[in-house]
Amino acid sequence: MDFPWPPDGPQWYAGRAIDQGIGRAMWFVGGTDVELVATMIDKFPDHRSADLYSGAGLAATYAGGANEQELRAFWERADGYRPQVAQGCVFASSARVLAGLVMPHTHLAARVFCDLTPQEADEVSTRLRPDGPDGDVPAYEVWRRQIAAEFAARERC
């Protein structure tokens, strides 16, 4: 993907950010049907799956629309990308906590994807927020990687 953004930053990251957005959009385009969403993601090249699953995990947590059985099915389908689903869930949970709009579906997704409450997920997000970029890796991506690594290290994924 060739997208000239950001003009003064690491342009290589634009495609990654776009894929995260595509993953979020897939949650809605797929009508929160977890099998359909996972099937759509799996049709993309493997190197894009982590960002797509992260975005879908964020949308599933923030917007809801799936019951516990469906979220567990999505978790199973994510397989090797579960740390990224957990990372998306952490970001969505944190956004809900910070806005004071934690909903029952936020609690459900945080439990299924992270084995945490939304408030505990927010604490992970806050604790792992970086001070800045790491070389040419944007701080946002450093943050995402640290959260995903935290869940991989917990052997939760």
Side-chain angles (χ1 to χ4, degrees), residues 59-66 71 96 101-111 118:
T61 304
Y62 193 85
L71 291 176
R96 285 285 189 180
L101 295 171
V102 177
M103 305 299 289
H105 66 261
T106 313
H107 283 280
L108 176 62
R111 182 170 46 81

Side-chain angles (χ1 to χ4, degrees), residues 14 34 44 50 55 59 69 73-74 81 89-90 100 105 122 151 155:
V34 299
F44 281 79
Q69 179 181 356
F74 186 72
Y81 303 103
C89 178
V90 165
H105 66 261
D122 178 52
F151 284 93
E155 298 182 5

Side-chain angles (χ1 to χ4, degrees), residues 9-10 13 20-21 32 39-40 57 63 80 94-95 103 108 112 116 128 142 157:
Y13 193 68
Q20 294 157 34
T32 74
T39 297
M40 288 189 297
S94 186
M103 305 299 289
L108 176 62
V112 170
L116 299 173
L128 295 176
V142 172
C157 303

Side-chain angles (χ1 to χ4, degrees), residues 60-76:
T61 304
Y62 193 85
N67 64 33
E68 183 170 352
Q69 179 181 356
E70 292 165 327
L71 291 176
R72 290 193 184 284
F74 186 72
W75 182 253
E76 291 301 315

Side-chain angles (χ1 to χ4, degrees), residues 57 61 85-98 102 106-129 143 146-148 150-151 154:
T61 304
V85 172
Q87 174 273 310
C89 178
V90 165
F91 274 13
S93 294
S94 186
R96 285 285 189 180
V97 167
L98 292 173
V102 177
T106 313
H107 283 280
L108 176 62
R111 182 170 46 81
V112 170
F113 295 153
C114 300
D115 197 27
L116 299 173
T117 66
Q119 293 75 14
E120 291 167 333
D122 178 52
E123 290 170 9
V124 170
S125 177
T126 300
R127 178 172 46 83
L128 295 176
R129 185 175 295 129
W143 195 13
Q146 289 176 342
I147 292 169
E150 167 106 356
F151 284 93
R154 292 180 183 199

Side-chain angles (χ1 to χ4, degrees), residues 13-80:
Y13 193 68
R16 303 276 313 275
I18 290 167
D19 278 349
Q20 294 157 34
I22 291 170
R24 289 189 301 273
M26 284 181 175
W27 186 251
F28 301 104
V29 170
T32 74
D33 179 326
V34 299
E35 287 300 318
L36 178 57
V37 173
T39 297
M40 288 189 297
I41 291 172
D42 292 345
K43 288 182 180 181
F44 281 79
D46 286 343
H47 72 276
R48 297 176 68 183
S49 296
D51 290 318
L52 296 166
Y53 271 106
S54 172
L58 189 152
T61 304
Y62 193 85
N67 64 33
E68 183 170 352
Q69 179 181 356
E70 292 165 327
L71 291 176
R72 290 193 184 284
F74 186 72
W75 182 253
E76 291 301 315
R77 284 289 302 270
D79 194 29

